[in-house]
Amino acid sequence: MGTGPHGKAFLEEHDLDKRPYSFSCDGPQFVDRSGNVTRQLKAPLNLTSWDVLYYRLRANFDGLSSGYCPSPPSSLETGGDVTYNLGKRVTAISCNGDTVTVTFENVISGGTGTYHAHLVIAADGSNSTIRKLLAPKAVPKYCGYLAWRGTVPEAEVSDETRKFFDKGFFSNVLPGNRGYLVGYAMPGKDGTLERGCRAFNFVWYSKLPPSSALQTVLTDSSGHRHHNTLPRGRMDPGVWKRQFEPCKEVMLPAFREVCENVKEPFISAVNDCTAPSALYFNGKVILLGEALALIRPHTGISFDTAAFQVLQLKRVMEGQSTLDEWQEQVNSNNRKAELFALVYGRFLLYGALRPSFLVTSASLHAAFQSFTTDSSLFALPITITSESLTPLPPLPFTSSSFAASLPTLAPHLTPKDPIYLFLRRSLEASTFAAVTYVPANAPVRAKTLFASTRSTLLRELGLERFEGSYFCTDDFEVLDAKEWEARDGRGEGGREGGGKDEAILTREERELQGVKRAEEEERHGTGGRDIGWGGGQSKQGGAASGLKMKVGDGVGEALRGLGEEGCLAQMAIDLATETVTLSRSKSNVSPSNLSSLIPSSDPSYTFYHYPSTPSIVFIYSCPSTTSVKGRMVYASSRNSVVQLAKDEDVEVSKRIEVGGPEDVTETSLRDEVMPKAETETKQGFARPKRPGRR
């Protein structure tokens, strides 16, 4: 396993045992069958093992002495008491007021018990019991391939293999759709880093669809069927032989020798699972690490992701951030890590480092040739059907204007279907804009397929034919002419690769930056639309900038009335006049009746003072029937509407986005609002004392 920059920062701050624990490398190197490095990804890692980190952290946490850390560091004077309990299985978790109750059974001695706490951090791993209790629908889903793993002592391999793994972290893609292997040196017995006493670790990713064959592989030598992991020493020797023997002749010699000498290979099924929230019971229960989200293991950054979460949570406890801000940062970081691992693994399993497994059909080449020579054509849509890139009928210009022709793309931009679009920016253009549209609600496989095939498609058709490449996740990013103007102003969409055959993963890193930007815009609004106060002046007297939008009568008065509990102020936007208007102002609204006041067919902004609390909730509702223009205007104006409330001294405590009134229930509101702790959360947790020993 690896520790990236966040893991390194965490250990530097909290590990009092300062002895080295890892080998450093510059990043994965991709090698051919002769051992020649063909590509390298610049992503520095510290390579170590799970048991080294476990015993190192236990030594710091509760003073556990082991071969890995025989002399645990002394506890700090500021340390408190800590107990590390084993053999407890959580059976229930509940909250009453400020107290969380955790019920458990003792699997060693029998019986049950309870713990009571003000804060529970659930970091119980990929098969998290607490996640199952709090989010029962968040069930790990098998991704269609396995990770075969094993470790071999350095003393049991040849000098040639030792010298090979001395050079870093390697990936060996096997021909014939047989998967790929990664291998590297790791600490040996008791965490030693001494040359000659190290170990060599391999992971072999190999596709196996859910079937009787999968069940056979996960059945151990005693006949017991495992669901996700077949432990060390339990594999039927025949299973490993059937996996290894047909492939050994096409393996790099160093990998072949390690696989031949492994004594106890084991298997992990690769799964996807993300909990819907990291916070439960108004932030009194927090999910961390793989209990919150499984990151596919290709990039080895699960520890680094968890370390990021812990470091950011420390800032909350010190009062530098809030739990809502923490969750937003964690979700953003998780999405980036998940997508990077997903696409990275897809590249290696399905051929992005060799010719794409998708067929670039003759019909696509013919359609593209026709599109390039006919200047009256505005757009060429392309989809994927039956593992083939398939052109759809081209779209002509509706006038000589690029902006005026954009609405013709709307029928191709659905909420769940990715698509490629080649666009001619003007009638005279000889190069084209390449748009990859991957909506947030698209199936995971479709997202992966379109994202991982994008660069291959452009290379096949000729990188020199494209003046820019854009990754979009929302239809208005494609349809709104102002979005294109903003991109031109920012200088985005430069030609990928400049016609040079750069490393594919370097290009995809840039793609992921586009994904991150799109996610940020989707979550926070794209630049915002300024809502002018009389002649384009802000209420504070500063000159307003951006798109001006008028504010109708009664809006300010309704917002000022939110000081009373149970009051509601609801607004809409008159699209024809671009005016924020007051739809409804009402008092004594109960949480159970709130949904009946939210329009079911039109978008709306609703401010609601939750009863018996100081919390003002902002609800942005945008039903699926909303027009494209409506979605664009409402999505890009929501931040300005919140600022409009702030100018009336209304502080929004919670922002909620829904698809309609059916998503707003009394229970969901109660779970979102923090009745007593909202202002406390703004101050952050009181910093706890560092654990000592008992």
Side-chain angles (χ1 to χ4, degrees), residues 523-584:
R523 189 164 57 249
H524 298 302
T526 55
R529 299 163 75 93
D530 182 73
I531 300 178
W533 285 79
Q537 295 291 320
S538 71
K539 190 179 180 185
Q540 290 84 351
S545 62
L547 178 64
K548 308 298 187 293
M549 190 175 290
K550 294 177 288 186
V551 178
D553 295 338
V555 171
E557 182 180 354
L559 289 170
R560 290 191 292 272
L562 289 169
E564 297 293 329
E565 296 177 9
C567 281
L568 172 147
Q570 189 174 89
M571 287 131 214
I573 295 177
D574 185 331
L575 299 179
T577 63
E578 292 201 328
T579 301
V580 177
T581 62
L582 180 65
S583 303
R584 178 183 283 116

Side-chain angles (χ1 to χ4, degrees), residues 524 527-533 545 547 549 580 605 607 618 634-647 655:
H524 298 302
R529 299 163 75 93
D530 182 73
I531 300 178
W533 285 79
S545 62
L547 178 64
M549 190 175 290
V580 177
Y605 303 121
F607 293 87
F618 172 73
Y634 274 83
S636 58
S637 301
R638 53 192 165 184
N639 281 353
S640 295
V641 172
V642 172
Q643 181 61 45
L644 180 64
K646 188 174 183 179
D647 291 341
R655 295 174 61 157

